[in-house]
Amino acid sequence: MESSKTIIRRLLPAAAALALFFVVSAVYFAPQFRGEVLPQHDVMQYDGMAKDINDMRESTGEDPQWTGRMFGGMPAYLINVAYPAQLVKNTLGRVVKIIDTPAAILFFAMTAMWLMLLMVGVNPWVGIVAALAYGLSTYLLLIIGAGHVTKSWALVYAPLMMGGIYCTLRRNPWIGGAATALFASLQIGVNHPQITYYFLMAAALFWLSEGFFALRGKRLRDFAKRTAVLLAAGVLAVGSNFSPLWYTLQHTRDTIRGGSELAAADKSDGASGL
């Protein structure tokens, strides 16, 4: 059995990292802990868009399928709807609620980056520095101030998703696959496809690189098995968020991305949408 000193020595970096991340987040957003509220423009707009939806939900216990507040009327599920089938988001996704925003975003962004660096083998003490840099990056602080909440949470989960992909391709494929499925589900669940798309591009480049070295090292069989695990993880992640993805896809044809009703039938340019 390990001695208590050994256990303490192994846990010390984690305790130091979490304590430092919390202190930095709390100091940076100190007014939050005095009861003040950050006036985030996009959040205020969202509250206005979702007010009649929330009022209906509170008064009847049901989710309305339509709202008249936006653009003369639009499906309510594109603004605010509760999907009971999103079990991962509705259970494990609530862990981040233990701290109120905006400090929570900063704290969990740094924690997520630190955990990802552990997954790829970076020294935990060195990882603290990189995690602080990620959490205090100019762009993340700017979008928190603007109220781009879903984008902020997408950036929180993205490093963990990438860490899971790394572990699947280079380390234990089963642990890595489980981590990839879990964190990809949470990442997709926050509903900011732009960030998901960018990080999937980075993951695709990493996969191609691994495939190249697997080809040179004659390890294609093992690489194929690890790729299959990643594909299964992706299916699970998408499947756990199937409802919002499906309804959004259905509505696409009725938006500017689905083509124009005014476009001439014999003109293909401009008729296919964005």
Side-chain angles (χ1 to χ4, degrees):
M1 295 180 64
E2 293 182 319
S3 66
S4 58
K5 289 184 178 180
T6 303
I7 295 175
I8 292 174
R9 188 168 60 251
R10 290 189 174 186
L11 293 179
L12 185 59
L18 294 177
L20 180 60
F21 297 158
F22 179 78
V23 169
V24 170
S25 303
V27 170
Y28 194 90
F29 289 111
Q32 169 185 327
F33 297 91
R34 297 196 297 266
E36 299 181 32
V37 177
L38 182 66
Q40 299 165 294
H41 175 263
D42 279 24
V43 172
M44 291 187 286
Q45 279 196 322
Y46 169 79
D47 289 340
M49 289 189 294
K51 186 178 186 306
D52 60 337
I53 300 173
N54 290 326
D55 290 345
M56 177 67 72
R57 186 180 295 143
E58 291 176 3
S59 62
T60 66
E62 298 181 356
D63 269 1
Q65 301 302 300
W66 190 262
T67 175
R69 280 179 174 256
M70 290 298 298
F71 307 114
M74 66 180 290
Y77 56 75
L78 294 174
I79 300 175
N80 182 340
V81 69
Y83 291 104
Q86 285 184 288
L87 296 179
V88 176
K89 179 180 179 179
N90 294 334
T91 53
L92 295 176
R94 295 190 178 276
V95 172
V96 297
K97 303 294 184 181
I98 61 175
I99 304 175
D100 290 335
T101 57
I105 297 173
L106 201 58
F107 172 78
F108 284 107
M110 293 186 287
T111 301
M113 176 56 72
W114 185 75
L115 290 173
M116 188 210 76
L117 294 171
L118 285 186
M119 292 180 187
V120 302
V122 174
N123 181 286
W125 294 108
V126 175
I128 291 176
V129 179
L132 286 169
Y134 183 71
L136 295 173
S137 59
T138 303
Y139 185 69
L140 182 60
L141 295 175
L142 285 174
I143 62 176
I144 290 174
H148 298 176
V149 177
T150 57
K151 180 181 285 189
S152 301
W153 285 118
L155 288 169
V156 168
Y157 292 124
L160 293 170
M161 180 181 71
M162 295 295 290
I165 294 171
Y166 178 93
C167 288
T168 305
L169 293 175
R170 288 199 179 181
R171 296 190 173 187
N172 189 309
W174 306 115
I175 295 177
T180 302
L182 172 61
F183 295 119
S185 175
L186 292 171
Q187 215 275 343
I188 296 171
V190 298
N191 195 27
H192 202 288
Q194 178 191 22
I195 299 301
T196 305
Y197 174 73
Y198 291 153
F199 274 86
L200 286 179
M201 288 178 61
L205 292 174
F206 176 60
W207 178 83
L208 288 172
S209 172
E210 291 297 295
F212 173 75
F213 286 106
L215 178 62
R216 289 187 58 183
K218 298 181 179 180
R219 296 181 287 102
L220 284 179
R221 183 185 293 272
D222 179 65
F223 178 71
K225 290 179 180 178
R226 293 172 183 270
T227 299
V229 173
L230 277 182
L231 288 173
V235 170
L236 290 173
V238 172
S240 64
N241 294 287
F242 180 78
S243 294
L245 293 174
W246 175 252
Y247 288 127
T248 301
L249 178 63
Q250 279 190 317
H251 186 66
T252 300
R253 62 177 179 267
D254 297 316
T255 71
I256 58 174
R257 289 173 172 80
S260 172
E261 296 293 337
L262 302 179
D266 59 343
K267 292 183 179 180
S268 59
D269 56 335
S272 60
L274 296 180

